[in-house]
Amino acid sequence: MFTIMLKAKLHMARVTHAVLNYEGSCAIDGELLDMTGIRENEQIQIYNVENGQRFTTYAIRGEEGSRLISINGAAAHLAGPGDRVIICSYAHYSEAELDNHQPSLVYLQEGNVVSHTSNAIPVQFA
């Protein structure tokens, strides 16, 4: 049996571009991709904090150091420049892999600059 688990997350990325007439995908600064371990062409989920839209696309590599987050194709109707988004990837893990699984979490501040990284989401309190 396999369980689908969070593999990686870019938390509070700021959309820098929205290109409607593009064949699709989400371009992400290559340095940010490398930090998270998200691969080019890997399926990603994007959650728009501003309007609640949630959608699936795939990652493409953007220019290293550009801090680019470009929502392309039809998804450009769902998120635009200035929107804060959470970008996640998930993977299937075997029971044996679950014991040691830790997601790669990258937290961003304004300008898509990394504020910190982690491997665990804090416990939520009531």
Side-chain angles (χ1 to χ4, degrees), residues 49-73:
V49 175
E50 308 301 332
N51 63 25
Q53 293 286 341
R54 299 166 73 94
F55 53 96
T56 304
T57 188
Y58 59 95
I60 62 173
R61 192 170 200 86
E63 179 184 359
E64 271 78 5
S66 65
R67 301 300 174 228
L68 174 77
I69 302 290
S70 182
I71 308 296
N72 301 323

PDB file of all heavy atoms in Angstrom, residues 49-73:
ATOM      1  N   VAL A  49      -4.042  32.099  -1.991  1.00  0.00           N
ATOM      2  CA  VAL A  49      -4.454  32.601  -0.681  1.00  0.00           C
ATOM      3  C   VAL A  49      -5.410  33.783  -0.828  1.00  0.00           C
ATOM      4  O   VAL A  49      -6.275  33.995   0.023  1.00  0.00           O
ATOM      5  CB  VAL A  49      -3.208  32.992   0.152  1.00  0.00           C
ATOM      6  CG1 VAL A  49      -3.592  33.627   1.476  1.00  0.00           C
ATOM      7  CG2 VAL A  49      -2.308  31.772   0.369  1.00  0.00           C
ATOM      8  N   GLU A  50      -5.288  34.536  -1.914  1.00  0.00           N
ATOM      9  CA  GLU A  50      -6.094  35.738  -2.098  1.00  0.00           C
ATOM     10  C   GLU A  50      -7.546  35.439  -2.451  1.00  0.00           C
ATOM     11  O   GLU A  50      -8.456  36.121  -1.976  1.00  0.00           O
ATOM     12  CB  GLU A  50      -5.489  36.631  -3.198  1.00  0.00           C
ATOM     13  CG  GLU A  50      -4.021  36.957  -3.021  1.00  0.00           C
ATOM     14  CD  GLU A  50      -3.679  37.665  -1.728  1.00  0.00           C
ATOM     15  OE1 GLU A  50      -4.519  38.384  -1.170  1.00  0.00           O
ATOM     16  OE2 GLU A  50      -2.538  37.494  -1.255  1.00  0.00           O
ATOM     17  N   ASN A  51      -7.784  34.431  -3.296  1.00  0.00           N
ATOM     18  CA  ASN A  51      -9.150  34.197  -3.779  1.00  0.00           C
ATOM     19  C   ASN A  51      -9.673  32.780  -3.559  1.00  0.00           C
ATOM     20  O   ASN A  51     -10.786  32.470  -3.950  1.00  0.00           O
ATOM     21  CB  ASN A  51      -9.268  34.574  -5.263  1.00  0.00           C
ATOM     22  CG  ASN A  51      -8.398  33.717  -6.164  1.00  0.00           C
ATOM     23  OD1 ASN A  51      -8.042  32.589  -5.840  1.00  0.00           O
ATOM     24  ND2 ASN A  51      -8.045  34.265  -7.323  1.00  0.00           N
ATOM     25  N   GLY A  52      -8.867  31.925  -2.963  1.00  0.00           N
ATOM     26  CA  GLY A  52      -9.313  30.571  -2.653  1.00  0.00           C
ATOM     27  C   GLY A  52      -9.239  29.587  -3.804  1.00  0.00           C
ATOM     28  O   GLY A  52      -9.560  28.416  -3.627  1.00  0.00           O
ATOM     29  N   GLN A  53      -8.821  30.020  -4.986  1.00  0.00           N
ATOM     30  CA  GLN A  53      -8.706  29.104  -6.121  1.00  0.00           C
ATOM     31  C   GLN A  53      -7.632  28.057  -5.835  1.00  0.00           C
ATOM     32  O   GLN A  53      -6.577  28.368  -5.269  1.00  0.00           O
ATOM     33  CB  GLN A  53      -8.349  29.866  -7.403  1.00  0.00           C
ATOM     34  CG  GLN A  53      -9.420  30.786  -7.881  1.00  0.00           C
ATOM     35  CD  GLN A  53     -10.582  30.049  -8.515  1.00  0.00           C
ATOM     36  OE1 GLN A  53     -10.493  28.902  -8.918  1.00  0.00           O
ATOM     37  NE2 GLN A  53     -11.714  30.737  -8.583  1.00  0.00           N
ATOM     38  N   ARG A  54      -7.924  26.825  -6.253  1.00  0.00           N
ATOM     39  CA  ARG A  54      -6.976  25.724  -6.115  1.00  0.00           C
ATOM     40  C   ARG A  54      -6.912  25.043  -7.465  1.00  0.00           C
ATOM     41  O   ARG A  54      -7.946  24.741  -8.058  1.00  0.00           O
ATOM     42  CB  ARG A  54      -7.453  24.747  -5.045  1.00  0.00           C
ATOM     43  CG  ARG A  54      -7.584  25.390  -3.659  1.00  0.00           C
ATOM     44  CD  ARG A  54      -8.377  24.515  -2.700  1.00  0.00           C
ATOM     45  NE  ARG A  54      -7.637  23.360  -2.258  1.00  0.00           N
ATOM     46  CZ  ARG A  54      -6.919  23.298  -1.141  1.00  0.00           C
ATOM     47  NH1 ARG A  54      -6.837  24.348  -0.341  1.00  0.00           N
ATOM     48  NH2 ARG A  54      -6.277  22.203  -0.814  1.00  0.00           N
ATOM     49  N   PHE A  55      -5.704  24.799  -7.969  1.00  0.00           N
ATOM     50  CA  PHE A  55      -5.598  24.193  -9.286  1.00  0.00           C
ATOM     51  C   PHE A  55      -4.324  23.372  -9.419  1.00  0.00           C
ATOM     52  O   PHE A  55      -3.384  23.524  -8.634  1.00  0.00           O
ATOM     53  CB  PHE A  55      -5.698  25.246 -10.403  1.00  0.00           C
ATOM     54  CG  PHE A  55      -4.751  26.406 -10.282  1.00  0.00           C
ATOM     55  CD1 PHE A  55      -3.542  26.409 -10.963  1.00  0.00           C
ATOM     56  CD2 PHE A  55      -5.078  27.517  -9.511  1.00  0.00           C
ATOM     57  CE1 PHE A  55      -2.678  27.489 -10.872  1.00  0.00           C
ATOM     58  CE2 PHE A  55      -4.219  28.603  -9.417  1.00  0.00           C
ATOM     59  CZ  PHE A  55      -3.014  28.588 -10.097  1.00  0.00           C
ATOM     60  N   THR A  56      -4.332  22.496 -10.414  1.00  0.00           N
ATOM     61  CA  THR A  56      -3.227  21.588 -10.692  1.00  0.00           C
ATOM     62  C   THR A  56      -2.561  22.003 -11.990  1.00  0.00           C
ATOM     63  O   THR A  56      -3.236  22.329 -12.962  1.00  0.00           O
ATOM     64  CB  THR A  56      -3.749  20.148 -10.840  1.00  0.00           C
ATOM     65  OG1 THR A  56      -4.460  19.791  -9.660  1.00  0.00           O
ATOM     66  CG2 THR A  56      -2.614  19.165 -11.081  1.00  0.00           C
ATOM     67  N   THR A  57      -1.244  21.978 -12.002  1.00  0.00           N
ATOM     68  CA  THR A  57      -0.475  22.216 -13.217  1.00  0.00           C
ATOM     69  C   THR A  57       0.853  21.480 -13.056  1.00  0.00           C
ATOM     70  O   THR A  57       0.948  20.547 -12.274  1.00  0.00           O
ATOM     71  CB  THR A  57      -0.311  23.738 -13.497  1.00  0.00           C
ATOM     72  OG1 THR A  57       0.287  23.925 -14.776  1.00  0.00           O
ATOM     73  CG2 THR A  57       0.468  24.446 -12.418  1.00  0.00           C
ATOM     74  N   TYR A  58       1.872  21.910 -13.780  1.00  0.00           N
ATOM     75  CA  TYR A  58       3.192  21.305 -13.640  1.00  0.00           C
ATOM     76  C   TYR A  58       4.241  22.406 -13.587  1.00  0.00           C
ATOM     77  O   TYR A  58       4.019  23.521 -14.055  1.00  0.00           O
ATOM     78  CB  TYR A  58       3.488  20.319 -14.774  1.00  0.00           C
ATOM     79  CG  TYR A  58       3.433  20.920 -16.156  1.00  0.00           C
ATOM     80  CD1 TYR A  58       4.587  21.377 -16.789  1.00  0.00           C
ATOM     81  CD2 TYR A  58       2.223  21.034 -16.831  1.00  0.00           C
ATOM     82  CE1 TYR A  58       4.534  21.933 -18.048  1.00  0.00           C
ATOM     83  CE2 TYR A  58       2.163  21.588 -18.094  1.00  0.00           C
ATOM     84  CZ  TYR A  58       3.319  22.035 -18.707  1.00  0.00           C
ATOM     85  OH  TYR A  58       3.270  22.594 -19.955  1.00  0.00           O
ATOM     86  N   ALA A  59       5.359  22.084 -12.989  1.00  0.00           N
ATOM     87  CA  ALA A  59       6.436  23.058 -12.796  1.00  0.00           C
ATOM     88  C   ALA A  59       7.358  23.090 -14.010  1.00  0.00           C
ATOM     89  O   ALA A  59       7.683  22.041 -14.576  1.00  0.00           O
ATOM     90  CB  ALA A  59       7.245  22.710 -11.554  1.00  0.00           C
ATOM     91  N   ILE A  60       7.755  24.300 -14.397  1.00  0.00           N
ATOM     92  CA  ILE A  60       8.847  24.448 -15.352  1.00  0.00           C
ATOM     93  C   ILE A  60       9.900  25.340 -14.709  1.00  0.00           C
ATOM     94  O   ILE A  60       9.608  26.123 -13.809  1.00  0.00           O
ATOM     95  CB  ILE A  60       8.405  24.994 -16.725  1.00  0.00           C
ATOM     96  CG1 ILE A  60       7.803  26.390 -16.615  1.00  0.00           C
ATOM     97  CG2 ILE A  60       7.451  24.029 -17.408  1.00  0.00           C
ATOM     98  CD1 ILE A  60       7.520  27.031 -17.964  1.00  0.00           C
ATOM     99  N   ARG A  61      11.110  25.175 -15.162  1.00  0.00           N
ATOM    100  CA  ARG A  61      12.237  25.884 -14.561  1.00  0.00           C
ATOM    101  C   ARG A  61      12.286  27.318 -15.065  1.00  0.00           C
ATOM    102  O   ARG A  61      12.268  27.574 -16.261  1.00  0.00           O
ATOM    103  CB  ARG A  61      13.531  25.154 -14.896  1.00  0.00           C
ATOM    104  CG  ARG A  61      14.724  25.619 -14.120  1.00  0.00           C
ATOM    105  CD  ARG A  61      15.927  24.676 -14.347  1.00  0.00           C
ATOM    106  NE  ARG A  61      16.862  24.869 -13.266  1.00  0.00           N
ATOM    107  CZ  ARG A  61      16.810  24.250 -12.091  1.00  0.00           C
ATOM    108  NH1 ARG A  61      15.863  23.376 -11.856  1.00  0.00           N
ATOM    109  NH2 ARG A  61      17.696  24.489 -11.154  1.00  0.00           N
ATOM    110  N   GLY A  62      12.342  28.241 -14.121  1.00  0.00           N
ATOM    111  CA  GLY A  62      12.522  29.643 -14.436  1.00  0.00           C
ATOM    112  C   GLY A  62      13.974  30.039 -14.217  1.00  0.00           C
ATOM    113  O   GLY A  62      14.767  29.282 -13.644  1.00  0.00           O
ATOM    114  N   GLU A  63      14.309  31.213 -14.647  1.00  0.00           N
ATOM    115  CA  GLU A  63      15.677  31.723 -14.527  1.00  0.00           C
ATOM    116  C   GLU A  63      16.142  31.707 -13.075  1.00  0.00           C
ATOM    117  O   GLU A  63      15.440  32.200 -12.183  1.00  0.00           O
ATOM    118  CB  GLU A  63      15.724  33.148 -15.081  1.00  0.00           C
ATOM    119  CG  GLU A  63      17.074  33.803 -14.987  1.00  0.00           C
ATOM    120  CD  GLU A  63      17.047  35.253 -15.452  1.00  0.00           C
ATOM    121  OE1 GLU A  63      15.982  35.748 -15.860  1.00  0.00           O
ATOM    122  OE2 GLU A  63      18.108  35.893 -15.376  1.00  0.00           O
ATOM    123  N   GLU A  64      17.322  31.141 -12.843  1.00  0.00           N
ATOM    124  CA  GLU A  64      17.901  31.078 -11.505  1.00  0.00           C
ATOM    125  C   GLU A  64      18.111  32.486 -10.943  1.00  0.00           C
ATOM    126  O   GLU A  64      18.622  33.353 -11.634  1.00  0.00           O
ATOM    127  CB  GLU A  64      19.248  30.338 -11.512  1.00  0.00           C
ATOM    128  CG  GLU A  64      19.144  28.839 -11.320  1.00  0.00           C
ATOM    129  CD  GLU A  64      18.706  28.107 -12.587  1.00  0.00           C
ATOM    130  OE1 GLU A  64      18.566  28.751 -13.639  1.00  0.00           O
ATOM    131  OE2 GLU A  64      18.483  26.896 -12.515  1.00  0.00           O
ATOM    132  N   GLY A  65      17.692  32.684  -9.705  1.00  0.00           N
ATOM    133  CA  GLY A  65      17.890  33.952  -9.031  1.00  0.00           C
ATOM    134  C   GLY A  65      16.881  35.033  -9.396  1.00  0.00           C
ATOM    135  O   GLY A  65      16.934  36.125  -8.849  1.00  0.00           O
ATOM    136  N   SER A  66      15.947  34.715 -10.273  1.00  0.00           N
ATOM    137  CA  SER A  66      14.973  35.715 -10.734  1.00  0.00           C
ATOM    138  C   SER A  66      13.823  35.924  -9.752  1.00  0.00           C
ATOM    139  O   SER A  66      13.120  36.912  -9.830  1.00  0.00           O
ATOM    140  CB  SER A  66      14.391  35.288 -12.079  1.00  0.00           C
ATOM    141  OG  SER A  66      13.628  34.092 -11.929  1.00  0.00           O
ATOM    142  N   ARG A  67      13.621  34.961  -8.862  1.00  0.00           N
ATOM    143  CA  ARG A  67      12.493  34.936  -7.921  1.00  0.00           C
ATOM    144  C   ARG A  67      11.154  34.893  -8.662  1.00  0.00           C
ATOM    145  O   ARG A  67      10.117  35.288  -8.148  1.00  0.00           O
ATOM    146  CB  ARG A  67      12.546  36.097  -6.931  1.00  0.00           C
ATOM    147  CG  ARG A  67      13.814  36.122  -6.100  1.00  0.00           C
ATOM    148  CD  ARG A  67      13.941  34.852  -5.282  1.00  0.00           C
ATOM    149  NE  ARG A  67      15.218  34.781  -4.577  1.00  0.00           N
ATOM    150  CZ  ARG A  67      15.997  33.701  -4.590  1.00  0.00           C
ATOM    151  NH1 ARG A  67      15.655  32.646  -5.273  1.00  0.00           N
ATOM    152  NH2 ARG A  67      17.106  33.676  -3.918  1.00  0.00           N
ATOM    153  N   LEU A  68      11.173  34.364  -9.886  1.00  0.00           N
ATOM    154  CA  LEU A  68      10.021  34.256 -10.764  1.00  0.00           C
ATOM    155  C   LEU A  68       9.023  33.215 -10.268  1.00  0.00           C
ATOM    156  O   LEU A  68       9.398  32.095  -9.918  1.00  0.00           O
ATOM    157  CB  LEU A  68      10.494  33.857 -12.165  1.00  0.00           C
ATOM    158  CG  LEU A  68       9.433  33.561 -13.207  1.00  0.00           C
ATOM    159  CD1 LEU A  68       8.850  34.869 -13.726  1.00  0.00           C
ATOM    160  CD2 LEU A  68      10.032  32.759 -14.351  1.00  0.00           C
ATOM    161  N   ILE A  69       7.759  33.589 -10.235  1.00  0.00           N
ATOM    162  CA  ILE A  69       6.635  32.668 -10.087  1.00  0.00           C
ATOM    163  C   ILE A  69       5.638  33.112 -11.149  1.00  0.00           C
ATOM    164  O   ILE A  69       4.979  34.148 -11.000  1.00  0.00           O
ATOM    165  CB  ILE A  69       5.980  32.728  -8.687  1.00  0.00           C
ATOM    166  CG1 ILE A  69       6.987  32.433  -7.569  1.00  0.00           C
ATOM    167  CG2 ILE A  69       4.765  31.799  -8.625  1.00  0.00           C
ATOM    168  CD1 ILE A  69       7.478  30.991  -7.505  1.00  0.00           C
ATOM    169  N   SER A  70       5.565  32.380 -12.262  1.00  0.00           N
ATOM    170  CA  SER A  70       4.715  32.771 -13.382  1.00  0.00           C
ATOM    171  C   SER A  70       3.625  31.721 -13.580  1.00  0.00           C
ATOM    172  O   SER A  70       3.922  30.556 -13.844  1.00  0.00           O
ATOM    173  CB  SER A  70       5.540  32.922 -14.663  1.00  0.00           C
ATOM    174  OG  SER A  70       4.714  33.346 -15.727  1.00  0.00           O
ATOM    175  N   ILE A  71       2.383  32.151 -13.458  1.00  0.00           N
ATOM    176  CA  ILE A  71       1.231  31.282 -13.691  1.00  0.00           C
ATOM    177  C   ILE A  71       0.870  31.422 -15.159  1.00  0.00           C
ATOM    178  O   ILE A  71       0.570  32.519 -15.630  1.00  0.00           O
ATOM    179  CB  ILE A  71       0.039  31.679 -12.791  1.00  0.00           C
ATOM    180  CG1 ILE A  71       0.469  31.768 -11.324  1.00  0.00           C
ATOM    181  CG2 ILE A  71      -1.118  30.722 -13.000  1.00  0.00           C
ATOM    182  CD1 ILE A  71       0.930  30.484 -10.704  1.00  0.00           C
ATOM    183  N   ASN A  72       0.902  30.314 -15.895  1.00  0.00           N
ATOM    184  CA  ASN A  72       0.771  30.368 -17.348  1.00  0.00           C
ATOM    185  C   ASN A  72      -0.451  29.613 -17.853  1.00  0.00           C
ATOM    186  O   ASN A  72      -0.967  28.716 -17.194  1.00  0.00           O
ATOM    187  CB  ASN A  72       2.031  29.787 -17.995  1.00  0.00           C
ATOM    188  CG  ASN A  72       3.280  30.539 -17.598  1.00  0.00           C
ATOM    189  OD1 ASN A  72       3.265  31.750 -17.450  1.00  0.00           O
ATOM    190  ND2 ASN A  72       4.369  29.811 -17.419  1.00  0.00           N
ATOM    191  N   GLY A  73      -0.864  29.962 -19.073  1.00  0.00           N
ATOM    192  CA  GLY A  73      -1.977  29.296 -19.728  1.00  0.00           C
ATOM    193  C   GLY A  73      -3.290  29.602 -19.036  1.00  0.00           C
ATOM    194  O   GLY A  73      -3.473  30.681 -18.447  1.00  0.00           O
TER     195      GLY A  73
END
